[in-house]
């Protein structure tokens, strides 16, 4: 009975519930949960849409900054490098004009001196004065030609007129040379003056700040791309590309030494010291002490050397790009030869196919043989260079020689012939001190190539054993021959300089001019062997042959493409555009340092004041040089005339008075004895009165002798003076008569040349008269030079220092210009490295960056759209289920009794029956526990997915936080003013700078350029990242919470649907 009571009670309860559930109810809780879940998932989708847009904008910004980097590289190549090349060529051409100007100055002194002496030689009067001296010369003129001083003075204007004509012609040539020098030099000096402002302290500081900022921005982009993209799947390709670098000797295995070499070449500390040995021990499974290629794949993944493949290959690609840039920008033949030699040294590390291709071009006469020989010389000179970037331990010069010798043996023999020729060596701008060493080295390469060649090539018609002996002796022989050739060349050059100097300054007047104007040192006297070697570098700076330049351009294009290809491989492997230690700031600093050094060398002459001072000094020289030379020639001629008359008068006066003194002495002697005898008697008488007879006699004799001698002396002096005065007149009269007599005598002797007879006779006569030894012509020239030097102190103020000043200027330029050109070459090398590095890195950066960010953005948005599409039906089903459980859409109803279907006869009927039974099972199992827990587990999975999505969003928010924090450190990426200021700094440094399709010329072009090229990366993405981070984090958390509440609500709805179905079944039973 109790059971019946309970069942009755439950039945009545079901009836009551059925009555209450007979009407539909609105599930507001379910609706709220579903709408909230959909809303917050939609907000998550919107937030992630902002994130995807921000990622796409980062991709656009990477392309914008790539345009900045490649634009700087392009401007450096097209502007700075080209201008530097032009300045180098101009300075080298100016050096030629400096040397020409020095030679012209020497020719001025030589031609004026020669013309002066020639004019003097045409006038016998002046020739006698110059050859015999003023005293004898004027006597000869008076006695032989009957001419006096006035006749000689009348010849001076005639000589000066002839000299002035020559002087004006040669000075016009000097003026043309100096004008051409200034014309050639001025553009280069003006360009250096522009560089003084262009590379000023403010601009340099701005460039350093900008380069540092560019480094930070590029590293931030690399960091983000590495986090988003991760590592690549091209490990096999990277191993194939790097294996030749490790396997340096091409043995098929890598040894400890090769690992250590790689660590040294590529600055990988993990591969230095004892680490290579430990790696070999760890991965050498075969036990042979070396690593094979299969073992190598495990070695490069060792945690102690992370990213070794990309680091090594990227450094190789970077160096290849630098060499490609140097080859492409090379214009002078020495630059092309050096670049080709460096390229060969580099590619020998991993690609002998290209070495053989280059060997074929060098030996097949497609380029001049001079260039081929120069390449081998550069290979020799850089062999022991510690700063050379060589990525192989092999003898690269030998490898190239073997390749050329194998293909074109005659080219190698021609090359060694040129290398051993000192004239060719100097003409190429090489130092003679290096010739013997390089000749020996090239001969060694050739001998080794002959010994190891696979073909039976022999240039020696001897037996095999004799050929080997000859090949062994060839290097030493080449050294000796080159050394002897260098000695002979130096001797010939020294003799040529000495002979030239003797020829130029052979005349007396030219030597006088050299002494008075330049202190006896000609402009070329300071040219030592070392300075000549420096000057000869101008030959190396000549433009390369067109076929050489064509070869260089092709080589540059090939190397550039290959470098970019390797950079792409590295990026695909590491998702980074550069190594961690790579930076642009150090490269820009190196370039600025070299350029600043060059500017400091040339600054004295490159400012507007310096250029004006240089031109004024040249003008002042051209104005005063003619006056100085004319003045010295006039002084020389005037000195001959003015010195002759007073010196002759003095000589005659001295001779006449000597004769008078001698006559007076003779008269004194004649009268002294009678006077003594006459004085002796009177003196004895006077003394006898005072002293006595004995004493008086002895004293009287002594006094008479003393008084007689004194009277005799007085008499001779008085008579000598008077007689000398008389003799002067007699001598003048006698000379006039002698001149007439000699003139009559010479007329009667026509067979004998008058000048010769007169010169010999009068020279001997006058030598006896003046009691002077006969002097040779050289001694008389030296005497005249000494006389002129003694006069210098008295008339030094009459000659300016213009000649000495212009010679000092030319010497300074001759020493400065080669050094400046070498410094500028170093600066060009740094510019090429910088531009090539920028172009190589930012090219791959601009290609790969947008691809990665756009791909990530696309996939990111696709995933979130798929998630939203996935979660939306789930929420819709939950809403439908809530409404259905509350009576909507018919609500839960009792399961109808289904009649047993007839047995199927066909296949279609069997499938139809299967589906109907499955559907019936699914509809009838709703109220079972299996269905309930299955749905609960499924919904838990959905909630778990939502929670995981929340975690992923949190992690991605951390990535965005990294980007935002990086933006806070790099102001140029978020502040338009700072960005435009950086571009202004670049515009001050570069006249024009292309950024994408925009070319910046002025400040007006800079305005808005940062926004137009999407350079304000942080400004573009910071706001979106901040909003999306907040939106996605909060919305995903709330969506997870509401999804969990939907799970709880679904359980309630399920129970409600079950009881509603039961209530409806009870209601139908009551009705029945």
């Amino acid at each position: 009975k109790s059971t019946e009571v309970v069942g009755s009670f439950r039945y009545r309860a079901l009836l009551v519930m059925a009555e209450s559930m007979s009407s539909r109810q609105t599930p507001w809780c379910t609706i709220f949960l579903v709408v909230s879940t959909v809303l917050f998932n939609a907000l998550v989708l919107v937030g992630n849409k902002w994130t995807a847009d921000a990622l796409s904008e980062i991709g656009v910004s990477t392309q914008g900054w790539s345009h900045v980097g490649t634009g700087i590289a392009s401007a450096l190549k097209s502007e700075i490098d080209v201008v530097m090349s032009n300045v180098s060529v101009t300075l080298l051409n100016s050096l030629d004009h400096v040397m020409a100007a020095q030679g012209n100055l020497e020719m001025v002194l030589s031609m004026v001196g020669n013309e002066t002496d020639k004019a003097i030689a045409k006038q016998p009067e002046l020739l006698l004065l110059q050859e015999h001296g003023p005293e004898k010369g004027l006597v000869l003129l008076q006695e032989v030609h009957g001419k006096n001083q006035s006749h000689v003075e009348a010849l001076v204007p005639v000589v000066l007129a002839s000299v002035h004509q020559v002087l004006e012609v040669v000075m016009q040539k000097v003026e043309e040379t100096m004008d051409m020098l200034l014309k050639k030099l001025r553009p280069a000096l003006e360009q250096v003056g522009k560089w003084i402002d262009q590379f000023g302290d403010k601009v340099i500081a701005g460039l350093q700040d900008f380069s540092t900022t560019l480094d930070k921005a590029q590293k931030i982009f690399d960091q983000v791309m590495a986090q988003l993209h991760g590592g690549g799947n091209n490990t096999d390709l990277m191993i194939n590309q790097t294996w030749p670098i490790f396997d340096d000797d091409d043995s098929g295995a890598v040894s400890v030494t090769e690992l250590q070499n790689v660590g040294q070449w590529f600055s990988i500390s993990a591969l230095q010291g004892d680490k290579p040995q430990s790696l070999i021990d760890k991965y050498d499974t075969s036990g042979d002490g070396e690593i094979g290629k299969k073992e190598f794949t495990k070695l490069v993944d060792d945690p102690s050397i992370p990213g070794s493949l990309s680091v090594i290959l990227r450094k190789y690609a970077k160096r290849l790009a630098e060499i490609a840039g140097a080859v492409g920008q090379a214009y002078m033949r020495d630059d092309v030869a050096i670049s080709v030699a460096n390229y060969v040294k580099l590619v020998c590390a991993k690609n002998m196919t290209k070495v053989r291709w280059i060997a074929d071009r060098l030996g097949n006469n497609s380029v001049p043989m001079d260039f081929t020989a120069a390449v081998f010389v550069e290979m020799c000179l850089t062999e022991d260079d510690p700063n050379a970037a060589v990525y192989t331990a092999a003898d690269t010069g030998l490898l190239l020689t073997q390749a050329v010798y194998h293909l074109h043996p005659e080219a190698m023999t021609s090359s060694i012939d040129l290398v051993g020729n000192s004239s060719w060596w100097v003409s190429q701008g090489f130092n003679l001190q290096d010739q013997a060493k390089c000749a020996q080295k090239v001969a060694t390469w050739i001998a080794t190539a002959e010994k190891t060649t696979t073909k039976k090539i022999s240039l020696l018609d001897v037996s095999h054993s004799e050929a080997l002996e000859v090949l062994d002796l060839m290097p030493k022989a080449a050294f000796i021959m080159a050394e002897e050739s260098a000695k002979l060349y130096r001797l010939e050059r020294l003799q040529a300089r000495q002979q030239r100097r003797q020829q130029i300054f052979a005349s007396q007047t030219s030597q006088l001019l050299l002494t008075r104007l330049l202190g006896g040192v000609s402009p070329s006297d300071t040219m030592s062997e070392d300075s000549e070697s420096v000057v000869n570098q101008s030959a190396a700076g000549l433009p390369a042959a067109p076929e050489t330049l064509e070869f260089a351009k092709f080589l540059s294009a090939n190397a550039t493409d290959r470098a970019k290809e390797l950079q792409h491989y590295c990026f695909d492997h590491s998702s980074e555009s550069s190594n961690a230690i790579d930076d642009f700031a150090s490269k820009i600093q190196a370039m600025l340092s070299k350029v600043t050094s060059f500017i400091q060398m040339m600054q004295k002459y490159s400012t507007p004041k310096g250029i004006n001072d240089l031109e004024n000094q040249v003008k002042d020289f051209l104005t005063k040089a003619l006056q100085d030379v004319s003045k010295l020639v006039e002084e020389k001629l005037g000195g001959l005339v003015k010195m002759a008359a007073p010196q002759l008068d003095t000589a005659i006066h001295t001779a006449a008075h000597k004769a008078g003194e001698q006559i007076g002495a003779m008269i004194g002697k004649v009268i002294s004895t009678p006077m003594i005898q006459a004085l002796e008697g009177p003196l004895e008488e006077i003394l006898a009165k005072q002293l006595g007879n004995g004493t008086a006699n002895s004293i009287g004799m002594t006094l008479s002798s003393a008084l007689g001698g004194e009277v005799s002396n007085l008499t001779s002096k008085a008579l000598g003076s008077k007689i000398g005065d008389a003799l002067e007149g007699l001598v003048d009269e006698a000379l006039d008569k002698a001149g007439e007599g000699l003139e009559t005598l010479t007329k009667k002797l026509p067979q004998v040349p008058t000048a010769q007879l007169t010169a010999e006779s009068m020279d001997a006569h006058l030598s006896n008269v003046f009691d002077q030894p006969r002097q040779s012509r050289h001694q008389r020239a030296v005497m005249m030079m000494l006389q002129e030097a003694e006069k210098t102190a008295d008339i030094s103020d009459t000659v300016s220092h213009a000649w000495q000043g212009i010679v000092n200027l030319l010497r300074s330029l001759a020493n400065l210009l080669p050094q400046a050109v070498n410094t500028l070459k170093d600066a060009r090398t740094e510019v090429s490295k910088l531009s090539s590095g920028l172009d190589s890195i930012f090219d791959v950066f601009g290609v790969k960056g947008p691809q990665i960010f756009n791909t990530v953005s696309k996939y990111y948005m696709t995933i979130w759209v798929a998630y939203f599409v996935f979660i939306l039906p789930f929420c819709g089903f939950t809403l439908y289920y809530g409404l259905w459980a509350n009576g909507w859409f018919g609500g839960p109803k009792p399961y109808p009794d289904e009649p047993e279907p007839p047995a199927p006869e066909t296949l279609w009927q069997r499938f139809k029956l299967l589906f109907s039974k499955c559907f019936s099972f699914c509809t009838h199992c709703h109220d079972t526990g299996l269905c309930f827990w299955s749905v609960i587990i499924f919904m838990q999975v959905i909630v778990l997915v939502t929670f995981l999505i929340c975690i992923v969003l949190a992690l991605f928010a951390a990535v965005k936080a990294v980007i935002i924090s990086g933006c806070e450190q790099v102001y140029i990426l978020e502040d338009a003013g700072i960005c435009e200021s950086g571009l202004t700094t670049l515009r001050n440094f570069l006249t024009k700078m292309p950024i994408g399709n925009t070319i910046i010329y002025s400040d007006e072009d800079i305005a808005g350029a940062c926004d137009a090229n999407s350079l304000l990366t942080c400004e573009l993405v910071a706001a979106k990242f901040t909003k999306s981070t907040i939106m996605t984090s909060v919305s995903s958390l709330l969506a997870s919470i509401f999804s969990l509440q939907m799970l709880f609500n679904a359980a309630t709805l399920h129970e409600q649907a079950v009881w509603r179905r039961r209530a409806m079944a009870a209601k139908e039973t009551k009705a029945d």
Side-chain angles (χ1 to χ4, degrees):
K1 288 183 179 180
S2 61
T3 303
E4 292 178 356
V5 171
V6 172
S8 177
F9 175 76
R10 291 179 64 186
Y11 180 74
R12 286 194 297 271
L14 287 173
L15 291 177
V16 173
M17 184 182 297
E19 290 295 335
S20 63
M21 292 183 176
S22 60
S23 61
R24 294 181 301 179
Q25 298 178 358
T26 303
W28 295 111
C29 180
T30 301
I31 294 174
F32 173 75
L33 292 174
V34 171
V35 172
S36 298
T37 302
V38 173
L39 175 62
F40 287 115
N41 278 288
L43 293 178
V44 170
L45 182 63
V46 172
N48 285 301
K49 177 64 168 60
W50 292 343
T51 301
D53 292 341
L55 291 174
S56 296
E57 290 179 354
I58 292 178
V60 175
S61 186
T62 58
Q63 193 168 32
W65 281 106
S66 173
H67 290 159
V68 172
T70 54
I72 295 174
S74 176
L76 288 173
K77 292 178 183 178
S78 62
E79 183 176 338
I80 300 296
D81 187 82
V82 171
V83 173
M84 284 184 174
S85 177
N86 294 336
V87 171
S88 296
V89 173
T90 301
L91 293 180
L92 288 173
N93 292 336
S94 300
L95 181 60
D96 294 335
H97 288 284
V98 168
M99 304 306 297
Q102 288 180 330
N104 286 339
L105 292 181
E106 293 177 340
M107 292 307 300
V108 169
L109 302 181
S110 175
M111 294 183 69
V112 171
N114 292 339
E115 183 62 26
T116 301
D117 288 355
K118 186 186 298 183
I120 291 175
K122 292 180 180 179
Q123 308 297 332
E125 298 85 352
L126 295 178
L127 181 62
L128 287 174
L129 292 178
Q130 177 169 279
E131 290 188 349
H132 296 278
E135 307 101 329
K136 299 178 184 179
L138 189 57
V139 170
L140 289 171
L141 288 175
Q142 291 176 346
E143 300 302 326
V144 177
H145 300 284
K147 296 182 180 180
N148 54 26
Q149 180 178 350
S150 61
H151 294 93
V152 178
E153 291 176 350
L155 297 175
V156 173
V158 177
V159 176
L160 288 178
S162 176
V163 172
H164 280 177
Q165 291 180 356
V166 176
L167 183 58
E168 289 177 358
V169 173
V170 294
M171 284 305 299
Q172 183 178 1
K173 181 64 176 178
V174 171
E175 182 176 0
E176 292 175 356
T177 304
M178 298 303 296
D179 288 342
M180 183 59 67
L181 172 61
L182 292 178
K183 183 179 179 181
K184 290 289 185 181
L185 196 57
R186 186 180 182 90
L189 297 180
E190 290 177 345
Q191 181 59 55
V192 177
K194 294 179 182 178
W195 282 344
I196 293 176
D197 297 330
Q198 190 173 357
F199 291 87
D201 294 338
K202 184 176 180 180
V203 176
I204 289 177
L207 284 175
Q208 291 173 341
D209 292 340
F210 181 82
S211 62
T212 302
T213 302
L214 189 62
D215 279 332
K216 291 181 179 179
Q218 188 258 338
K219 296 303 180 187
I220 290 175
F221 285 127
D222 274 355
Q223 183 180 3
V224 173
M225 287 187 292
Q227 291 179 348
L228 293 177
H229 190 257
N233 57 356
N234 63 340
T235 303
D236 293 339
L237 176 62
M238 292 292 291
I239 288 176
N240 290 332
Q241 293 297 327
T242 54
W243 173 256
I245 298 176
F246 282 88
D247 185 17
D248 189 36
D249 57 1
D250 198 23
S251 63
V254 177
S255 64
V256 175
T257 302
E258 288 173 330
L259 281 179
Q260 292 173 342
N261 288 339
V262 171
Q264 179 181 356
W265 295 333
F266 296 95
S267 302
I268 302 177
S269 57
L271 292 178
Q272 298 178 7
D274 297 331
K275 186 63 177 178
Q277 184 63 57
S278 63
L279 290 174
I280 293 290
D281 296 338
K282 182 177 180 181
Y283 295 101
D284 180 21
T285 58
S286 61
D288 58 357
E290 294 181 335
I291 295 294
K293 198 167 185 179
K294 291 183 179 180
E295 299 165 332
F296 178 74
T297 58
K298 298 178 181 179
L299 184 145
V300 294
D301 290 333
D302 190 88
S304 62
I305 49 173
S308 59
L309 292 177
S310 59
V311 169
I312 292 172
L313 192 60
R314 188 177 286 118
K315 280 197 172 184
Y316 179 88
K318 173 185 172 183
R319 178 59 179 160
L320 183 61
E322 291 175 355
I323 294 177
V327 174
Q329 296 298 317
Y331 175 71
M332 303 177 185
R333 59 187 183 186
D334 61 332
D335 292 338
V336 180
I338 293 172
S339 299
V340 172
N342 290 333
Y343 178 82
V344 172
K345 284 179 173 290
L346 181 66
V347 298
C348 278
K350 66 186 303 293
N351 195 336
M352 285 301 298
T353 301
K354 289 191 176 181
V355 174
R356 286 188 286 271
W357 174 79
I358 293 175
D360 183 52
R361 289 297 302 269
L362 293 177
N364 63 5
N365 293 324
S366 61
V367 295
M369 190 53 61
D370 289 344
F371 175 74
T372 301
V375 171
F376 283 100
V377 172
E378 295 295 346
M379 297 285 289
C380 167
L381 295 177
T382 58
E383 185 179 29
D384 299 325
D385 185 4
N387 299 320
V390 180
Y391 296 149
T392 179
D395 189 343
T396 54
L398 176 59
L399 294 176
L400 180 62
T401 302
Q402 289 175 332
V404 176
Y405 195 75
H406 176 76
L407 297 172
H408 308 284
E410 67 284 351
M412 286 308 306
T413 57
S414 299
S415 297
I416 190 61
D417 289 341
L418 291 176
V419 172
N421 188 320
S422 296
S423 298
W424 176 87
W425 186 273
V426 173
S427 68
Q428 300 298 311
F430 298 123
N431 194 326
L432 273 178
Q433 297 177 354
D434 299 323
Q435 184 186 7
K437 177 187 70 175
C438 286
Q440 183 179 22
K441 175 61 68 175
V442 176
T444 302
W445 291 338
I446 294 176
T448 306
E450 169 68 14
K451 293 177 183 179
T452 59
T453 184
T454 57
K455 293 183 178 181
K456 299 300 181 181
I457 301 175
S458 179
L459 302 178
L460 303 172
D461 188 14
V462 294
S463 64
H464 180 70
S465 59
E466 292 175 339
L468 290 178
E469 293 179 3
V470 172
L471 292 175
D472 291 336
L473 295 175
M474 183 186 295
K476 184 64 175 178
F479 179 87
I480 295 174
M481 293 176 64
E483 200 172 44
E484 293 299 324
S485 176
K487 291 180 181 179
L488 180 61
Y489 179 83
R490 292 189 184 98
L491 180 61
E492 290 176 350
R493 292 298 296 257
L494 178 61
Q495 292 176 346
R497 289 198 304 268
Q498 293 176 346
Q499 184 178 2
R500 179 179 179 276
R501 193 187 193 285
Q502 292 174 358
Q503 292 176 349
I504 290 178
F505 301 107
S507 64
Q508 294 181 8
T509 304
S510 63
Q511 295 176 14
L512 172 66
L513 294 175
L514 179 64
T515 302
R516 293 290 306 280
L517 294 176
L518 299 178
V521 182
S522 69
S524 62
D525 284 348
T526 57
M527 287 290 293
S528 64
E529 181 180 331
D530 293 337
S531 59
E532 274 196 358
S533 177
V534 173
V535 172
N536 284 334
Q537 290 183 5
S538 61
L542 294 176
E547 54 269 29
T548 303
L549 293 176
E550 181 270 334
F551 167 67
K553 294 297 182 183
F554 180 82
L555 190 64
S556 174
N558 183 274
T560 300
D561 293 341
R562 181 57 177 167
K564 291 181 178 180
E565 183 180 11
L566 295 178
Q567 285 281 9
H568 282 273
Y569 292 160
C570 296
F571 189 95
D572 293 338
H573 183 72
S574 64
S575 298
E576 294 179 342
S577 60
S578 64
N579 293 330
I581 62 175
D582 291 340
D583 66 311
F584 306 116
S586 61
K587 294 184 178 64
I588 289 180
Q589 180 61 38
M591 179 196 71
L592 295 176
S593 176
K594 293 295 184 181
V595 176
T596 303
S597 298
F598 169 75
I599 291 174
Q600 290 174 350
M601 295 176 66
M602 299 295 297
Q603 189 169 5
K604 176 181 178 181
Y605 304 105
S606 302
T607 61
K609 181 179 181 302
I611 296 176
N612 290 332
D613 291 344
L614 183 62
E615 292 179 342
N616 291 335
Q617 185 175 358
V618 173
K619 291 179 181 178
D620 181 68
F621 165 74
L622 294 176
T623 301
K624 295 180 179 179
L626 186 63
Q627 300 174 0
D628 290 344
V629 175
S630 300
K631 191 178 300 182
L632 289 176
V633 173
E634 290 177 4
E635 288 178 357
K636 174 181 174 62
L637 297 175
L640 291 175
V641 177
K642 293 177 182 179
M643 290 178 61
Q647 288 180 2
L648 181 61
D649 291 341
T650 302
I652 293 174
H653 176 79
T654 302
H657 277 272
K658 281 185 178 181
E661 290 175 357
Q662 292 176 358
I663 294 173
M666 293 173 61
I667 295 174
K669 290 180 180 180
V670 171
I671 66 174
S672 63
T673 301
M675 189 174 289
I676 291 173
Q677 294 175 354
L679 291 175
E680 184 178 354
L683 287 175
E684 289 180 355
E685 292 178 359
I686 294 172
L687 292 174
K689 294 179 181 179
Q690 302 293 332
L691 301 175
N693 293 330
T695 305
N697 290 333
S698 60
I699 295 175
M701 292 177 65
T702 302
L703 287 175
S704 64
S705 298
L707 289 174
E710 186 66 25
V711 170
S712 176
N713 291 337
L714 292 174
T715 302
S716 64
K717 289 180 180 179
L719 290 174
S721 177
K722 294 294 185 179
I723 294 172
D725 292 340
L727 287 176
E728 287 187 26
L730 293 175
V731 169
D732 289 337
E733 183 177 356
L735 289 174
D736 291 338
K737 295 294 184 180
E740 294 176 359
L742 287 173
E743 184 176 0
T744 304
L745 178 62
T746 54
K747 291 179 180 180
K748 294 180 179 180
L749 299 172
Q751 298 83 359
V752 183
T754 304
Q756 181 179 358
L757 175 64
T758 304
E760 292 178 355
S761 59
M762 290 302 296
D763 191 32
H765 173 70
L766 292 175
S767 296
N768 294 328
V769 172
F770 295 111
D771 196 20
Q772 294 178 351
R774 181 179 179 89
Q775 294 177 327
S776 65
R777 181 172 298 182
H778 175 70
Q779 290 174 330
R780 287 194 294 271
V782 172
M783 181 186 68
M784 291 183 61
M785 294 291 292
L786 292 175
Q787 292 174 351
E788 293 294 337
E790 291 174 358
K791 291 169 54 183
T792 303
D794 299 330
I795 58 175
S796 58
D797 294 336
T798 62
V799 179
S800 69
H801 299 285
W803 278 84
Q804 191 64 59
I806 200 67
V807 168
N808 291 338
L809 172 63
L810 294 176
R811 287 173 182 165
S812 298
L813 291 176
N815 293 327
L816 173 64
L817 294 182
Q819 300 176 20
V821 170
N822 288 336
T823 304
L824 193 57
K825 283 185 178 181
D826 294 338
R828 284 192 64 201
T829 300
E830 297 299 331
V831 170
S832 178
K833 289 182 179 180
L834 176 60
S835 62
S836 300
L838 288 171
D839 188 59
S840 176
I841 290 177
F842 278 100
D843 177 76
V844 65
F845 186 75
V847 173
K848 296 294 185 179
Q851 290 181 0
I852 288 179
F853 284 105
N854 290 335
T855 301
V856 171
S857 174
K858 178 181 177 181
Y859 287 147
Y860 186 79
M861 196 61 202
T862 301
I863 291 172
W864 284 106
V865 169
Y867 167 74
F868 185 76
V869 171
F870 170 77
I871 206 71
L872 193 60
F874 167 73
C875 293
F877 174 76
T878 302
L879 178 61
Y880 171 81
Y881 186 74
L883 292 173
W884 177 79
N886 283 275
W888 294 83
F889 309 109
K893 295 181 179 180
Y895 296 118
D897 295 331
E898 296 181 358
E900 188 68 20
E905 297 179 355
T906 63
L907 180 61
W908 169 248
Q909 290 177 350
R910 288 186 176 89
F911 277 112
K912 186 176 180 181
L913 177 62
L914 175 63
F915 293 144
S916 64
K917 289 299 182 180
C918 290
F919 178 77
S920 176
F921 173 79
C922 292
T923 55
H924 287 76
C925 73
H926 173 271
D927 297 344
T928 64
L930 176 63
C931 178
F932 172 77
W933 289 111
S934 298
V935 173
I936 289 298
I937 293 173
F938 175 74
M939 294 183 68
Q940 283 181 336
V941 172
I942 299 300
V943 173
L944 178 61
V945 171
T946 306
F947 181 72
L948 292 176
I949 293 297
C950 179
I951 295 176
V952 171
L953 290 175
L955 295 175
F956 200 78
V959 175
K960 292 185 283 187
V962 170
I963 297 175
I964 295 173
S965 63
C967 290
E968 293 176 354
Q969 301 175 11
V970 186
Y971 303 112
I972 197 172
L973 296 178
E974 62 177 349
D975 189 282
I978 297 177
C979 178
E980 292 180 358
S981 176
L983 295 181
T984 301
T985 300
L986 289 177
R987 189 194 61 79
N988 293 333
F989 176 63
L990 301 169
T991 305
K992 62 179 181 179
M993 188 183 71
I995 302 180
N997 297 325
T998 304
I999 298 180
I1000 295 178
Y1001 291 100
S1002 61
D1003 294 339
E1004 290 76 11
D1005 298 328
I1006 294 177
C1010 293
D1011 291 325
N1013 292 277
S1014 301
L1015 301 182
L1016 302 176
T1017 310
C1018 295
E1019 185 183 57
L1020 292 173
V1021 303
K1024 290 185 178 180
F1025 272 162
T1026 301
K1027 291 190 301 180
S1028 67
T1029 300
I1030 297 173
M1031 178 79 75
T1032 54
S1033 300
V1034 174
S1035 299
S1036 61
L1037 178 62
L1038 292 176
S1040 299
I1041 294 174
F1042 282 111
S1043 297
L1044 183 62
Q1045 291 300 321
M1046 284 177 57
L1047 177 63
F1048 298 152
N1049 182 255
T1052 302
L1053 292 175
H1054 178 269
E1055 192 67 20
Q1056 184 177 349
V1058 170
W1059 285 103
R1060 180 178 286 275
R1061 192 189 305 280
R1062 291 180 180 179
M1064 292 302 294
K1067 186 176 180 180
E1068 290 180 358
T1069 302
K1070 179 182 177 181
D1072 294 339

